[in-house]
């Protein structure tokens, strides 16, 4: 069980989408800047074992960790803010909890007992709360509880939080409740009642929040803060205002101004290490807000109506753009709406083109048209995962003349399967967790655009796909100008393709966006933006 590690639980009230992940990440950043070792974990109340099988429209992007866990997109925020990696243990769903308990029941591990939500499910939840503290690596573990207080499905998590207080002891346990203070414009008033109700629900469940973080569009006057403190049973200085911010990356500084970190440290009896190291963060914000140049880049994908589907890509542009003081005006375009008749007018004003990851046939031909346009017109191009596969197929069709070339994902009977399933993938019949997932090594060829970007020849990037470049076609491709510049050293699988006669055309089988953070922007994104700038000037 947990040792002296401090646990902060973050619950949400009134409505979903208040940004618990950003508050958790911002608090984590502030504590980290004071020298504490911090990680963040998320407990999600749905029954899927993990979000890997969810359509992006349901829940936004599926984020992938180094160890190959398919996780909630909030883990991406944790890594981007804290610049530390997360793992399978940082994201647990109700589905996983029940699966573990039922597996134990089938093995007879409960010795004939009736298996119940309390204590068996709550015990399993708690043992997952404590997993990350087992090797004493962290001073503070922040735990975000997904969903809203009062949801039927999050009840066992809330009950487990209540019980955790007694395992951990009051000095190691803290609850922050993130809530909304709506503004009624007709009455010109900020309303506290929804928060009072959601805190009552927490109290009914036996949890007294220590700190309220209040999302609001207007400053909270002191009488509103007093009212919240009085009715919600918290100290006045623990009612923290969280005004809407221009950028999620402003939130750590806003929370610092509101002294969220100080309140947390006082309550957890964490002796205040000297408050330092936000300089690099401020430097990043300065560049983000004062760009000296601008480019327009098109992100072509099929899930564009929900930008959260491409969260990590969007954020990677933010980090990379800021690092070279360039504002990236990202245009999300639906590949379903691009065809042979209209591609010019859709794509003509783009300085760079990114074809996004994805699955299935819908919008596929629009992506082919897009790649063709970028290749022929020498527009800087980055293809990620499916985007790289499309680039290979387009090249096979329009340069090699294999007009029916395809991926066996789209056409199992294609005469030219330039993208195909690996042998071990052919045997798989279960969908969840069975793709090629997580971090794999890649060796880069010199000279190449990729080597130029990374500045080294051995890299590791994260994967999430089933289909691969078919090496049977490699020689023919290379002879005609599409080069494999990155390969997996163990399997020989092609990880990166580049075009010889093009200013910047790179396709990657992996997902570079997952490893981009505020403090270490992803090199391919930086070079891609630079190439778009050069293209614009030309
Ligand atoms: N659908 C493709 C595959 O499974 C690409 C996946 C992706 O873009 N993440 O290989």
């Amino acid at each position: 069980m947990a040792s002296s590690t401090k646990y902060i639980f973050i619950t949400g009230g009134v409505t979903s989408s208040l940004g618990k992940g950003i508050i958790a990440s911002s608090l984590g950043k502030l504590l980290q800047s004071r020298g504490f070792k911090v990680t963040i974990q998320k407990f999600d109340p749905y029954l899927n074992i993990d979000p890997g099988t969810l359509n992006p429209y349901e829940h936004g992007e599926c984020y992938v960790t180094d160890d190959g866990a398919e996780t909630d997109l909030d883990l991406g925020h944790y890594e981007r803010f804290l610049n530390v990696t997360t793992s399978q243990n940082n994201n647990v769903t109700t589905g996983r909890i029940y699966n573990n308990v039922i597996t134990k029941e089938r093995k007879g591990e409960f010795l004939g007992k009736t298996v119940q939500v309390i204590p068996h499910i709550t015990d399993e939840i708690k043992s997952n709360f404590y997993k990350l503290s087992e090797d004493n690596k962290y001073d503070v573990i922040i735990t975000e509880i997904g969903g809203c207080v009062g949801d039927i499905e999050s009840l066992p998590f809330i009950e487990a939080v209540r019980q955790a207080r007694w395992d951990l002891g009051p000095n190691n346990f803290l609850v922050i409740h993130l809530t909304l203070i709506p503004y009624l414009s007709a009455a010109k008033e900020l309303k506290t009642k929804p928060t009072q109700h959601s805190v009552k629900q927490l109290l009914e469940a036996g949890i007294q929040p220590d700190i309220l973080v209040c999302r609001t569009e207007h400053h909270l006057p002191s009488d509103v803060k007093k009212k919240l403190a009085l009715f919600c049973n918290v100290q006045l200085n623990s009612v923290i205002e969280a005004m809407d911010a221009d950028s999620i990356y402003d939130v750590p500084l806003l929370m610092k101004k509101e002294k969220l970190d100080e309140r947390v440290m006082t309550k957890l009896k964490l002796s205040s290490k000297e408050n330092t190291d936000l300089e690099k963060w401020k430097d990043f914000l300065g560049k983000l807000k004062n760009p000296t140049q601008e480019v327009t880049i098109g992100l072509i994908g099929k899930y564009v109506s929900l930008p959260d589907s491409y969260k990590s890509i969007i954020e990677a542009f933010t980090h990379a753009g800021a690092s070279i003081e360039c504002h990236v005006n990202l245009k999300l375009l639906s590949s379903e709406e691009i065809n042979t008749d209209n591609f010019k007018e859709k794509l003509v004003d783009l300085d760079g083109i990114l074809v996004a990851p994805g699955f299935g046939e819908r919008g596929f031909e629009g992506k082919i048209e897009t790649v063709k346009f970028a290749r022929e017109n020498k527009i800087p191009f980055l293809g990620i995962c499916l985007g790289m596969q499309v680039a290979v197929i387009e090249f096979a069709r329009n340069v090699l003349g294999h007009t029916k070339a395809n991926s066996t994902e789209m056409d199992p009977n294609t005469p030219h399967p330039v993208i195909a399933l690996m042998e071990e993938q052919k045997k798989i019949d279960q969908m969840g967790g069975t793709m090629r997932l997580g971090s794999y090594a890649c060796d880069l060829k010199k000279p190449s655009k990729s080597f130029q970007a990374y500045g080294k020849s051995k890299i590791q990037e994260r994967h999430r796909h089933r289909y691969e470049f078919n090496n049977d076609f490699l020689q023919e491709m290379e002879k005609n100008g599409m080069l494999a510049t990155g390969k997996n050293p163990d399997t020989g699988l092609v990880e990166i393709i580049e075009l010889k006669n093009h200013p910047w055309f790179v396709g990657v089988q992996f997902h570079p966006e997952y490893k981009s953070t505020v403090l270490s922007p992803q090199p391919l994104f930086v070079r891609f933006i630079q190439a778009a700038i050069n293209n614009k000037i030309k």
Side-chain angles (χ1 to χ4, degrees), residues 356-360 384-387 389 407 409-410 419 421 435 463-468 509 511 514:
F359 295 84
I384 299 183
C385 210
L386 181 64
Q389 298 175 355
S407 161
E409 178 181 8
M410 315 301 159
I419 303 290
L421 271 189
M435 283 189 249
H463 291 245
R464 182 172 188 253
H465 58 102
R466 282 186 209 287
Y467 296 83
E468 301 282 353
Q509 185 58 80
H511 289 261
Y514 290 141

Side-chain angles (χ1 to χ4, degrees), residues 298 300 353-357 367 370-371 381-384 386-388 390:
I300 287 79
I353 290 178
L354 182 144
V355 174
K367 290 184 177 172
T370 304
V371 173
F381 169 85
L382 178 59
I384 299 183
L386 181 64
M388 173 265 203
V390 176

Side-chain angles (χ1 to χ4, degrees), residues 17 50 60-61 92 109 119 142 231 244 313 371 376 389 406 432 439 456 463 467-468 489 495 497 511 534:
S17 306
D50 60 44
E61 159 191 287
V92 178
E109 287 183 22
I142 300 175
F231 281 101
D244 292 355
I313 295 179
V371 173
E376 291 181 343
Q389 298 175 355
N406 216 328
S439 186
K456 56 183 179 187
H463 291 245
Y467 296 83
E468 301 282 353
E495 305 282 19
I497 53 97
H511 289 261
N534 298 344

